[in-house]
Amino acid sequence: MPTAVFPEIATLTPAAVLFRGLGDPNRLAILQHLAFGEHRVRDLVDHLGLAQSTVSAHCLCLAESGLIQSRAQGRSTVYSLARPELIDLLKAAEQLLAATGDAVMLCPHNDGSVR
């Protein structure tokens, strides 16, 4: 049976890509820290215990996606949320996880990998 691409499914592709991008725990941790205000890469490295190259790569990805923004401060780059509605999205995710408990981890298709 041929696979048809229905318009309503096609319109969901950007949302699926957004959620896939947010599916990385390191990027989520960066966003959570930026929800409290601006941070330099050095601050994020110290807070998260990640390598500077890892934080920089994730910040670049988030910036290219339009989710965070950067500005120069001396020799440092300071990042902040470009979209304040991300705070609401993160809070909604926390509430959903609190309501469902560990059930999301029980799905055999949630192996932690990003496809």
Side-chain angles (χ1 to χ4, degrees):
M1 176 157 76
T3 303
V5 177
F6 297 100
E8 56 271 15
I9 293 174
T11 61
L12 293 174
T13 299
V17 172
L18 170 67
F19 284 113
R20 187 176 302 140
L22 295 176
D24 184 283
N26 294 328
R27 283 194 287 273
L28 282 177
I30 289 168
L31 290 172
Q32 285 182 325
H33 275 77
L34 294 179
F36 293 108
E38 295 182 325
H39 284 74
R40 297 174 301 154
V41 170
R42 178 81 246 156
D43 300 330
L44 293 168
V45 167
D46 291 343
H47 291 301
L48 302 172
L50 299 170
Q52 185 272 329
S53 59
T54 300
V55 171
S56 292
H58 285 303
C59 284
L60 180 61
C61 175
L62 291 166
E64 288 177 346
S65 299
L67 300 177
I68 66 173
Q69 57 195 5
S70 64
R71 66 176 177 80
Q73 183 179 30
R75 293 173 51 177
S76 298
T77 300
V78 178
Y79 288 97
S80 61
L81 293 181
R83 307 299 321 175
E85 54 266 43
L86 275 170
I87 295 171
D88 295 332
L89 180 62
L90 294 172
K91 286 180 182 177
E94 288 174 4
Q95 291 171 347
L96 185 58
L97 289 170
T100 61
D102 292 332
V104 70
M105 298 302 290
L106 298 176
C107 176
H109 303 289
N110 289 337
D111 61 1
S113 65
V114 178
R115 294 184 175 99

